[in-house]
Every structure is written in C-alpha cells, then in structure tokens.
Amino acid sequence: MRFDTRAVHAGNEPDELTGAVTPPIYTSSTFAQAGIGKTKGFEYSRSGNPTRARLERAVADLEGAKFGLAFASGLAGETAVATLLQRGDHVIICNDVYGGTYRLFNQVFRYFGIAFDRVDATDPDNVARGARTKTKMVWMESPTNPLMQVIDIAAVAKVAKSRGLMLVVDNTFASPCLQNPIKLGATVVVHSTTKYIGGHSDLIGGAVVTSDQARYDRLKFIQNATGSVPGPFDCYLALRGIRTIHLRMERHSKNAAAVAEALARDPRVREVYYPFLRGSPQLGVAKRQMSAGGGMLSFRLKGGYRAASRFLESLKVFTLGESLGGVESLAEHPARMTHASLPPPERAKLGVTDDLVRLSVGIEDTEDLVGDVRAALAAI
Ligand SMILES: *Cc1c(COP(=O)(O)O)cnc(C)c1O
C-alpha cells in the first residue's frame, strides 16, 4: 500500500470484539488472566496497552520500520534511546539539534559519564572526523531547527555504518509523510508526536521506531522499566492525527512554499531558509530525501530585533507562540523564545540572532497566510 492508504489504515483494523470501525480507547490499567500467566497479550498497561499498541504499529508502518514504541513525550522517547548507551560512551550530535536534546545530553546524561561533541553534519565528513574509539552513536535532525539546514541522511548513515555507529534521526520536522530515515540507513528514528503526527496542538507524546530486533527488545524493556509511557487518551489523539497526516502535510508544504517565496521577494528580508526554496544550496539533497518541503521555515529581517518584533506583533492570522506542527500557523522569535536558554555565544555560533524569525506554517488558506505575512512586513 502507498503512504496515504497506510496513514488511514495502519493500526486501525476494526475492533476484534465488536467490529467498531473506530477502535475503543482502552483505559484499563490491568487485564484479567484466565489462569496464572494466561493473558490475551496484555497484563498491565505500563507494559502494554491495546490503544498504545495500535499507535506503535501505526508509527512503525508509516516510517517503514518493523517496530514502534510510544512514549509520554518526544523527550521521554529520546531518553529511552540515550539509555542504550553506557558510561564512557561518546555521541556525535549535529549542530542545531532541538534544544531539549542538547539539554538532555549536556545536563542529564553527561552526569552519567556519557560524553558528546557537536559537529556540522551538513558536511558528512565532519561526522567521520568527530568519531573517537568510544563513539557509539550519531544523533541528527534534518531539517534542523531553526535554520532548516538539510543534512544528507544517507551520507551520514554511510559514515555511521562504516564505523559501526548507531544512527539516530529525529524526524519530527519532516514527519514520516515527507521523509523516512530508516530507508536511508538510520538505525533508530525518534519523533515528538506532539508536532505533525498529532497535528492539532492538543497532546504531548513521543515515538521511537527501528527495524533492529535487538535494539527494539532493549528499548521495549527500557520503556517498561522506566515507565515513560503515554496514556490511552493521548495515544488515541495521536492515532486520530495520523489519519489525516498526508492531507495536512500537503497543505503545510504548499502554504510554506508560498510564504517562503513571498518572503524571498521582499526587500526587507535578508535571507530565507526553507528546504525546497528555489536557489537554496541544499535543494538537491532536500529533493533526494524529502517528498515536499514541509511546513517550517525561518528568515532574517534586515532591520534586526526591532523589525522582527514589529513583524511578529503585526501578524493577525499567525499566532505568536512556541511549538510547531499544528493546523494553526505559529510565529516565534528563536533567540528570545525557543532558543533563549542557549548561552548567547552559543546562539551566535549557531546563527540564532535577533533578526531571525521562525514560522510554523499551518493549513489555513494560502492567500490569507501570504497576505498576513505581507501586511506584517509592510508594518515594519
Ligand atoms: C518538540 C520536539 C522534541 C521534543 O518533544 P516533546 O514532545 O516536546 O518532548 C524533540 N525534537 C524536536 C525536533 C522537536 O521539535
């Protein structure tokens, strides 16, 4: 089956008991046993829950992976993946990973003796150069946040494979609809289902998928042992979101491309970052690994912070707010909002300066969004 059909049907078989086309939400914490140890596959909902199992099957299916696991948040999933490491191990993390990922390694796992270095993985040779004898894992995102840098996943996977390193790809920004890192050679893919998979800004959740049996077994053990599972209602919301992900991503991509073009033509804009923007240096790699540009973009205004704040405060359809991936359009100032916790020199090094604005382009009418951006630019 092709992606759009799987989005509607994966993990969505009618309920075995009643035939309900919309499967029930199983709220039960525990399950009756016919005899000691005689279960119908479920015994206690931390270890396994039927609604969660549907979500886990669905996300694995959409990513073209054998196994899926759902978590209480994207970071809970990331934590489970990081516990595949041991004291003394070293991780290569690509520049401008999600701030919470950096914080997790820098302020949690570092205290457990796991070292890391950051490299600019837009040149995959930097990953090879960054590898030490203790390196076990490469952790990357593409497109990156907030500068929408596209990293060649297949090229990084080749480097990782040649050195026996696990490659973890955070695929939250692209979504499984536009990009499937497992097929490009990644060992493990992580998602914040809070974003495009849920798609409606009404849940916090995470997912981890892999086709590696041993890694899956260990991750499943960790999921149960550490207990970072999502509740059945949140699993239901994520499943419901999945049913329309192909339609949403199509519109997100169409709208974001139109907004990016309008921005690129405006004399007040210095630079636009969008994977599928004409003339972008990374267009070739982006088109190889993504089926569309997605809903995220960022840009620099010539007038610095004053222009950025005027722009953000003049928007009417876009809401000023953090997060991304929902049906509604959001705008934010990375230096003072999502990336404010980075030390200023670190921000400067990553290019997260005061002139930068990030947009999560929603699925509203294209002309309304382009018109909103044009009017806010004019208000500067
Ligand atoms: C939001 C996000 C996360 C963290 O997910 P939560 O669900 O907020 O824990 C991780 N990676 C990326 C790229 C994100 O955007």
Side-chain angles (χ1 to χ4, degrees):
M1 295 295 176
R2 294 190 176 79
F3 186 89
D4 296 9
T5 308
R6 290 186 284 122
V8 174
H9 292 286
N12 203 26
E13 312 76 29
D15 179 44
E16 280 166 14
L17 209 59
T18 63
V21 166
T22 303
I25 302 169
Y26 284 91
T27 58
S28 193
S29 59
T30 187
F31 299 83
Q33 307 196 3
I36 296 170
K38 283 202 193 114
T39 70
K40 295 182 175 171
F42 297 97
E43 52 201 36
Y44 183 63
S45 273
R46 169 161 40 73
S47 319
N49 170 281
T51 310
R52 192 172 92 220
R54 285 180 180 270
L55 174 60
E56 295 178 331
R57 283 207 303 282
V59 180
D61 188 317
L62 297 193
E63 280 291 9
K66 284 195 190 140
F67 312 109
L69 290 163
F71 289 88
S73 68
L75 279 171
E78 295 191 19
T79 300
V81 173
T83 60
L84 292 171
L85 297 163
Q86 290 177 11
R87 175 184 299 279
D89 286 350
H90 174 256
V91 186
I92 295 170
I93 300 180
C94 77
N95 275 344
D96 56 72
V97 281
Y98 180 69
T101 305
Y102 175 69
R103 184 175 58 195
L104 183 67
F105 280 100
N106 193 42
Q107 295 187 58
V108 180
F109 283 100
R110 203 152 58 85
Y111 303 141
F112 290 85
I114 291 163
F116 69 92
D117 280 308
R118 289 212 277 178
V119 306
D120 176 2
T122 52
D123 177 359
D125 288 344
N126 289 335
V127 176
R129 277 192 282 273
R132 307 187 198 159
T133 47
K134 291 284 197 176
T135 306
K136 291 285 159 54
M137 181 184 278
V138 178
W139 191 295
M140 62 163 285
E141 276 170 43
S142 182
T144 66
N145 176 25
L147 288 179
M148 301 299 136
Q149 299 295 294
V150 177
I151 295 173
D152 187 335
I153 299 173
V156 174
K158 218 170 122 191
V159 171
K161 193 166 179 206
S162 72
R163 282 155 207 264
L165 312 178
M166 208 183 317
L167 173 63
V168 180
V169 178
D170 182 337
N171 201 30
T172 301
F173 267 42
S175 92
C177 182
L178 305 186
Q179 173 175 288
N180 296 126
I182 296 280
K183 293 178 189 159
L184 299 169
T187 327
V188 171
V189 170
V190 300
H191 275 286
S192 169
T193 56
T194 312
K195 316 293 169 50
Y196 288 108
I197 289 181
H200 295 74
S201 308
D202 56 4
L203 74 98
I204 296 285
V208 176
V209 308
T210 182
S211 289
D212 179 316
Q213 178 83 53
R215 256 81 179 236
Y216 168 72
D217 291 344
R218 179 67 187 164
L219 286 164
K220 174 135 186 71
F221 172 82
I222 290 164
Q223 181 198 43
N224 182 50
T226 61
S228 50
V229 294
F233 286 103
D234 283 348
C235 293
Y236 163 76
L237 283 173
L239 277 164
R240 184 173 164 130
I242 283 173
R243 305 307 165 214
T244 55
I245 193 169
H246 50 302
L247 299 175
R248 288 186 285 108
M249 293 316 295
E250 192 178 318
R251 181 63 80 86
H252 281 299
S253 301
K254 174 179 177 232
N255 284 352
V259 169
E261 298 249 328
L263 286 165
R265 277 197 300 271
D266 195 285
R268 285 158 288 221
V269 175
R270 191 188 302 282
E271 204 167 0
V272 181
Y273 306 102
Y274 183 64
F276 270 39
L277 188 66
R278 252 177 286 163
S280 152
Q282 293 160 327
L283 187 61
V285 184
K287 292 223 154 159
R288 259 206 318 278
Q289 66 189 24
M290 300 173 76
S291 59
M296 298 300 297
L297 64 90
S298 59
F299 61 98
R300 294 189 193 287
L301 282 163
K302 285 182 184 158
Y305 180 69
R306 266 183 67 84
S309 63
R310 283 283 297 163
F311 173 84
L312 286 166
E313 285 163 17
S314 304
L315 290 165
K316 299 252 163 21
V317 183
F318 283 80
T319 301
L320 181 59
E322 299 190 6
S323 198
L324 60 121
V327 292
E328 66 291 313
S329 291
L330 297 174
E332 68 116 2
H333 190 260
R336 308 230 176 168
M337 293 170 66
T338 47
H339 293 64
S341 63
L342 284 179
E346 188 71 19
R347 280 208 302 269
K349 207 170 83 192
L350 295 176
V352 182
T353 44
D354 266 349
D355 56 352
L356 188 72
V357 170
R358 189 187 81 179
L359 301 179
S360 169
V361 183
I363 63 167
E364 299 94 334
D365 179 85
T366 313
E367 287 314 309
D368 284 345
L369 294 179
V370 171
D372 196 35
V373 164
R374 284 216 179 98
L377 286 169
I380 297 172

